[in-house]
Amino acid sequence: MKIEQIYTGCIAQAAYYLESNGEAAIFDPLREVQPYLDRAKKDNAKIKYIFETHFHADFVSGHLDLADKSGGEIVYGPTANPEFKAIIATDNQEFKVGNYTVKALHTPGHTLESTCYLLIDENGKQHGIISGDTLFIGDVGRPDLAQAMTDDLTQEKLAGYLFDSLRNKIMPLSDDLMVYPSHGAGSACGKNMSKETTDTLGNQKRTNYALRTDMTKEEFTKELLDGLGLPPAYFPQNVMMNIKGYDSLDSIILKSNIGLSPREFEAVANQGDVIVLDVRHEDDFVKAHIPNSIFIGIQGNFAPWVGSMLRDINQKLLLVIPQGREEETITRLSRVGFDHVLGFLKDGIDAWKKADFETDSIHSISPEKFAIELNSKSIVVDARKPSEYEAEHVEKALNIPLDTINENFQSVPKGNDFFLHCAGGYRSVVMASILKSRGIHNLINIEKGMSGIKQTSVSCTKFDCPSTKK
């Protein structure tokens, strides 16, 4: 069977391309649809269907633009009620793509409309399953997203639906089926996803905690919800964009890709309700940046961090971007619904300096200097996830995870200087920029984070791998 995974690492998302006899289908496309059009053109195939496993929360899907540009029909599972033209499949409904068959399996739990798609080849053999956010490699989808849309849908009720879906629809399938999930490690749609992005269903039955046959629905619910943090604040907004529709990406790029001189940039920034977002490397931001700007570097999981930290997709943004990456940055912001970019600083921070505008910096030191300056009265703030902190941390360090800083701002030490670090130096600079924008300047960033600290004489708790805990 000709099925290809198209994986986008920065948001840990997988779309899929299926082709047979000149017809193609795309599953869960990203908002920038040209790669799918190019892939079908390479096979001289026509995109017939655009299958969606559910209304995504962590990204804005490309179903509308792709349907418009390809002529393909959008397909959702039972109970979906989008505000645009789409086929709403019934449970077990079959769709033909060339000589292949795609069978819709309604699997509510992650969301009510969640649907998996069983792939059947030209000989009638079941090959694999596009599992969406119902089943990941090593995990299953979180059941607390739909409750943001409907008050009477508790996470416990959705977890119960997911338990039934897995056992009644997924687990009876053949062990040799390939599992093709929508996400891998790093996605906020689950808590324990593997770095692997495909596997056999049989291996998942043996290794995935959620597919154990000896657990009751109550035990499943308890284990699924244990340690599940709050979903990022932008998730419900992305769901509504996927339900209601959105402007085309082409129009977003056209209106946003505007270079501004330093004076024009300052004038727009001073209009109010505008955030200056600096997406350069953290080392460059530390040395010099526009006062009160927020750093979220384009390397790594850029878009999810923007969504988590800025929260409101309607936020107006001005960008400081590495030269040549303007359209890429606007596109990646649009993946999570941030469509209100007002322009970028033409010629970057160098132009800002040459125009004699003020810059700020972050007091940042090496791990070796941290080891020298650290004493019994020092305050250390660890910006990593609780699981990372619990595994190993600097003695007496205070854990304030970056993604909770908006809720835990009052926990940040005031008055005396404090040291701030993460795992490798990215998240601590994000947090430092947010704190400085709110008037907290008594921080000292530690370069290279915990990876550098561990190479010094600084005393840390004994490493305890989370996977060994009971």
Side-chain angles (χ1 to χ4, degrees), residues 1-4 17-20 97 99-102 118-129 180:
M1 173 168 276
K2 190 170 186 177
I3 174 76
E4 296 179 16
Y17 170 81
L18 179 73
E19 190 275 332
S20 171
V97 179
N99 295 324
Y100 299 156
T101 300
V102 178
L118 186 63
L119 307 180
I120 304 169
D121 70 15
E122 64 274 21
N123 299 313
K125 177 177 173 54
Q126 296 179 0
H127 166 81
I129 186 166
Y180 299 111

Side-chain angles (χ1 to χ4, degrees), residues 401-423:
L402 172 60
D403 60 357
T404 71
I405 189 60
N406 290 306
E407 293 79 15
N408 292 322
F409 183 72
Q410 296 304 319
S411 300
V412 177
K414 311 296 192 299
N416 294 332
D417 288 351
F418 65 90
F419 296 103
L420 174 64
H421 79 87
C422 58

Side-chain angles (χ1 to χ4, degrees), residues 76-141:
Y76 279 93
T79 77
N81 188 26
E83 297 185 12
F84 46 81
K85 183 180 179 181
I87 297 171
I88 306 304
T90 57
D91 192 23
N92 294 314
Q93 183 173 347
E94 296 184 347
F95 300 83
K96 297 298 291 186
V97 179
N99 295 324
Y100 299 156
T101 300
V102 178
K103 185 175 183 179
L105 302 179
H106 189 208
T107 51
H110 176 64
T111 64
L112 285 179
E113 78 285 350
S114 285
T115 297
C116 297
Y117 295 100
L118 186 63
L119 307 180
I120 304 169
D121 70 15
E122 64 274 21
N123 299 313
K125 177 177 173 54
Q126 296 179 0
H127 166 81
I129 186 166
I130 306 289
S131 58
D133 286 21
T134 295
L135 176 63
F136 300 126
I137 308 306
D139 201 1
V140 291

Side-chain angles (χ1 to χ4, degrees), residues 3-266:
I3 174 76
E4 296 179 16
Q5 183 182 77
I6 303 173
Y7 198 79
T8 305
C10 64
I11 59 171
Q13 189 271 346
Y16 294 91
Y17 170 81
L18 179 73
E19 190 275 332
S20 171
N21 199 29
E23 293 184 341
I26 306 294
F27 298 81
D28 291 341
L30 283 182
R31 197 169 178 183
E32 61 271 31
V33 302
Q34 194 59 45
Y36 313 119
L37 297 169
D38 291 344
R39 186 64 191 85
K41 183 177 180 181
K42 182 179 178 181
D43 284 340
N44 196 27
K46 177 176 174 57
I47 295 176
K48 184 177 183 181
Y49 294 115
I50 301 145
F51 291 100
E52 292 283 6
T53 56
H54 62 295
F55 293 121
H56 301 283
D58 57 314
F59 69 97
V60 179
S61 181
H63 50 285
L64 291 178
D65 278 0
L66 188 54
D68 181 61
K69 292 184 176 184
S70 71
E73 294 187 276
I74 301 168
V75 180
Y76 279 93
T79 77
N81 188 26
E83 297 185 12
F84 46 81
K85 183 180 179 181
I87 297 171
I88 306 304
T90 57
D91 192 23
N92 294 314
Q93 183 173 347
E94 296 184 347
F95 300 83
K96 297 298 291 186
V97 179
N99 295 324
Y100 299 156
T101 300
V102 178
K103 185 175 183 179
L105 302 179
H106 189 208
T107 51
H110 176 64
T111 64
L112 285 179
E113 78 285 350
S114 285
T115 297
C116 297
Y117 295 100
L118 186 63
L119 307 180
I120 304 169
D121 70 15
E122 64 274 21
N123 299 313
K125 177 177 173 54
Q126 296 179 0
H127 166 81
I129 186 166
I130 306 289
S131 58
D133 286 21
T134 295
L135 176 63
F136 300 126
I137 308 306
D139 201 1
V140 291
R142 60 189 305 154
D144 60 343
L145 299 183
Q147 64 182 355
M149 315 304 295
T150 308
D151 291 338
D152 64 345
L153 276 178
T154 65
Q155 59 184 4
E156 289 79 13
K157 182 181 290 187
L158 285 162
Y161 292 159
L162 183 57
F163 178 88
D164 292 337
S165 292
L166 291 168
R167 277 144 186 82
N168 298 333
K169 295 292 185 70
I170 305 298
M171 293 173 67
L173 297 171
S174 173
D175 285 1
D176 63 358
L177 283 185
M178 292 300 299
V179 177
Y180 299 111
S182 284
H183 296 291
S187 169
C189 291
K191 64 177 181 178
N192 193 42
M193 281 179 253
S194 170
K195 292 181 180 180
E196 302 299 323
T197 59
T198 60
D199 195 8
T200 63
L201 180 57
N203 193 51
Q204 283 304 293
K205 290 177 184 178
R206 292 187 292 271
T207 61
N208 191 321
Y209 75 94
L211 302 188
R212 294 203 315 266
T213 57
D214 61 348
M215 65 194 323
T216 64
K217 183 179 292 188
E218 291 72 23
E219 290 170 337
F220 171 87
T221 299
K222 184 176 185 300
E223 192 161 348
L224 179 59
L225 299 180
D226 183 42
L228 188 65
L230 292 174
Y234 74 98
F235 271 24
Q237 299 170 74
N238 276 197
V239 170
M240 292 311 298
M241 286 184 72
N242 284 320
I243 292 174
K244 292 178 174 295
Y246 47 79
D247 293 336
S248 73
L249 179 58
D250 292 343
S251 68
I252 297 300
I253 292 174
L254 185 64
K255 76 173 186 178
S256 301
N257 195 3
I258 301 173
L260 302 173
S261 70
R263 196 161 299 281
E264 291 170 329
F265 191 93
E266 184 196 41

